């Protein structure tokens, strides 16, 4: 706390040092600031220090929040890539099944054609057998 100099019989009168803007603090050091201004300056300095500390805390909190958001963004991107991979795999499996189905349908058509050829061949052979059996029967009857 800074106080104006007042000594002896002149205590009632204005201090010439105070009028010139010089003051003594509680340690009797000569100061240029008025005691009120010095006190308010000290208070402002303390408030500024508190403000800077609070800004520092705020920056730490914001850094932590940014790190958390970055981590969540990375996890979201990873999950997105997994989902895209799964979707592509599903499309691939569907295409493979479609191709396999087409191959099986072609095989079925081929087997049906082969069955039809075998049926025609069977009918032809049955006809030949029947004719041969008839010929044999006629041959046996003639003898």
């Amino acid at each position: 706390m800074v106080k104006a100099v007042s000594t002896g019989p002149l205590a009632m009168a204005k201090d010439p040092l105070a009028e010139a803007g010089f003051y003594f603090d509680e340690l009797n050091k000569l100061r240029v600031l008025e005691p009120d201004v010095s006190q308010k300056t000290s208070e402002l300095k303390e408030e500024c220090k508190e403000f800077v500390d609070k800004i520092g805390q705020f920056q730490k909190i914001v850094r932590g929040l940014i790190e958390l958001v970055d981590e969540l963004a990375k996890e979201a991107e990873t999950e997105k890539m997994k989902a895209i991979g799964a979707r592509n795999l599903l499309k691939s499996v569907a295409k493979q099944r479609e191709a396999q189905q087409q191959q099986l349908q072609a095989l079925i058509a081929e087997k049906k054609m082969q069955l039809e050829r075998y049926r025609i061949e069977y009918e032809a052979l049955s006809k030949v057998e029947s004719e041969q059996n008839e010929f044999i029967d006629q041959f046996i009857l003639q003898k």
Side-chain angles (χ1 to χ4, degrees), residues 69-80:
V69 169
D70 285 345
E71 186 177 318
L72 289 174
K74 287 178 185 176
E75 287 179 22
E77 189 65 26
T78 301
E79 291 300 318
K80 178 182 168 184

Side-chain angles (χ1 to χ4, degrees), residues 109-123:
E110 181 183 324
K111 293 296 181 182
K112 281 183 179 180
M113 287 176 20
Q114 187 178 17
L115 177 64
E116 183 63 22
R117 281 194 309 269
Y118 287 154
R119 189 187 61 76
I120 292 170
E121 185 178 343
Y122 174 75
E123 287 176 1

Side-chain angles (χ1 to χ4, degrees), residues 29-71:
K29 290 187 176 181
L30 187 61
R31 302 287 179 186
V32 202
L33 290 175
E34 290 182 32
D36 286 347
V37 173
S38 177
Q39 181 181 357
K40 287 182 181 180
T41 301
S42 296
E43 289 173 2
L44 181 60
K45 179 180 176 184
E46 196 58 38
E47 287 178 15
C48 287
K49 183 181 179 297
E50 290 174 11
F51 180 75
V52 168
D53 291 344
K54 287 180 181 179
I55 290 294
Q57 291 174 352
F58 178 73
Q59 286 177 337
K60 285 180 185 177
I61 292 170
V62 169
R63 267 194 301 273
L65 182 62
I66 289 173
E67 288 173 3
L68 179 64
V69 169
D70 285 345
E71 186 177 318

Side-chain angles (χ1 to χ4, degrees), residues 82-98:
K82 285 181 183 177
I84 289 172
R87 183 181 65 197
N88 290 342
L89 180 62
L90 207 58
K91 285 180 181 178
S92 173
V93 167
K95 286 181 181 179
Q96 286 176 351
R97 283 190 180 163
E98 186 178 323

Side-chain angles (χ1 to χ4, degrees), residues 9-24:
L10 297 177
M12 294 295 180
K14 283 261 183 174
D15 188 2
L17 286 176
E19 287 179 5
F22 295 105
Y23 305 92
F24 287 100

